[in-house]
Amino acid sequence: MARIAICAPSTPFTRDDADRVLGLASAEYPQHDLVFHEQCFAIDGHFAGPDALRLAALVECANDPGFDAVWFVRGGYGANRLAGEAVLGMNEAARAKAFVGYSDGGTLLAALYRAGIGRPVHAPMPADIRRAGGEDAVRRALGWLDGNVEGCEPSLDDRPAVAFNLMTLAMLVGTDLMPDLRGHVVMVEEVAEHLYAVDRLLFHVTHHLAAHRIAGLRLGRVSDVPENDRPFGSEPEAMARFWCEKHAIAWLGRADIGHDAANKIVPFGVAGGV
């Protein structure tokens, strides 16, 4: 049995969607005890409450020895505003936990990984229940928390790996939240960006990753691309190959990650169970 604390480091959730997640978990994963922190439902403009409230809820969940994992309820901008302070406020209980999420939550996963706190994991979040087929995404995360690794990215091997939203990673590089990724397989995905913006992000990120001497790059799905006023003329895989070659980074192919219900799990570090 795992007790899982759910908080919102970025944007708010709804009680109706929380009930859907709790119903699925109760019916199919009764061994798990999911606890939505009340902060998940707070609203302060774009955010799930002011920075101080979101920070306090995250640290409370992380430091509570009664929980085995912290699950970020959803993405949306905001986690970077509290990530540095959050890791400084975490205790020994936090070091024993899995921290699960993706998208903007990748900022926290990076900060935790850099600080050596817990086990950061790129994986579906409760908010994915809203997607078509989203129940399967939630099941994938709950299954992993139960020790089932079938939902993991199939390319994982004995090399350490990380996975990020491309925009999130671009905002991390060069900051004091960025972990050392020497020898890592780095996987990236993107959503709702013009193709020229994806190319720009790859230019920026690969420049920094080359300095990290990573093991190589994998590209996940680039989805919901807005239409530009003219065709860009290059697809995301071609862009990734171009910038990898430009910066002498090994191109390792595709990854089964993305902002969709098929998003696979990537534990940070060397693959394995909970």
Side-chain angles (χ1 to χ4, degrees):
M1 176 178 178
R3 293 196 74 230
I4 304 162
I6 304 172
C7 62
S10 299
T11 56
F13 207 44
T14 70
R15 295 185 189 277
D16 286 346
D17 286 331
D19 288 342
R20 292 178 63 196
V21 173
L22 290 171
L24 186 154
S26 176
E28 301 183 30
Y29 297 88
Q31 66 274 30
H32 291 331
D33 180 17
L34 274 60
V35 180
F36 281 87
H37 195 289
E38 187 65 21
Q39 174 269 327
C40 290
F41 313 114
I43 298 175
D44 183 44
H46 167 86
F47 303 107
D51 290 355
L53 178 64
R54 301 196 323 278
L55 173 63
L58 172 60
V59 173
E60 177 188 337
C61 291
N63 288 349
D64 188 335
F67 289 111
D68 304 293
V70 176
W71 201 6
F72 307 146
V73 77
R74 60 174 300 190
Y77 173 72
N80 64 303
R81 295 169 64 104
L82 50 89
E85 291 176 82
V87 296
L88 290 176
M90 291 183 185
N91 64 17
E92 286 303 310
R95 296 183 179 276
K97 289 179 172 60
F99 292 84
V100 183
Y102 73 105
S103 190
D104 188 69
T107 305
L108 281 168
L109 300 182
L112 290 160
Y113 196 50
R114 177 184 173 115
I117 296 174
R119 187 157 202 212
V121 185
H122 166 104
M125 298 179 290
D128 286 308
I129 198 84
R130 301 169 176 173
R131 301 185 188 278
E135 293 86 355
D136 285 340
V138 172
R139 290 184 183 104
R140 193 174 306 117
L142 291 172
W144 186 86
L145 287 162
D146 201 33
N148 185 343
V149 298
E150 292 180 3
C152 287
E153 155 62 31
S155 68
L156 294 173
D157 53 28
D158 58 356
R159 295 172 294 183
V162 293
F164 292 102
N165 169 259
L166 182 57
M167 177 67 81
T168 300
L169 181 57
M171 297 300 102
L172 280 166
V173 295
T175 74
D176 59 3
L177 301 179
M178 180 69 178
D180 184 349
L181 297 182
R182 280 178 293 183
H184 285 65
V185 174
V186 178
M187 306 182 197
V188 294
E189 54 81 22
E190 191 50 85
V191 64
E193 293 289 346
H194 287 88
L195 289 180
Y196 67 81
V198 174
D199 192 66
R200 180 191 293 141
L201 290 168
L202 286 166
F203 149 74
H204 180 67
V205 163
T206 54
H207 179 87
H208 284 270
L209 293 181
H212 278 252
R213 300 185 182 277
I214 66 170
L217 184 77
R218 286 188 178 275
L219 179 66
R221 286 177 287 283
V222 177
S223 57
D224 297 338
V225 177
E227 286 191 25
N228 196 23
D229 60 351
R230 69 192 69 189
F232 182 65
S234 182
E235 293 302 311
E237 181 172 327
M239 299 176 206
R241 287 176 176 270
F242 173 84
W243 289 113
C244 281
E245 182 178 357
K246 193 85 167 176
H247 294 297
I249 294 172
W251 163 252
L252 301 178
R254 302 306 297 259
D256 194 6
I257 63 170
H259 270 66
D260 52 43
N263 185 26
K264 295 298 191 296
I265 295 169
V266 181
F268 280 34
V270 178
V274 179

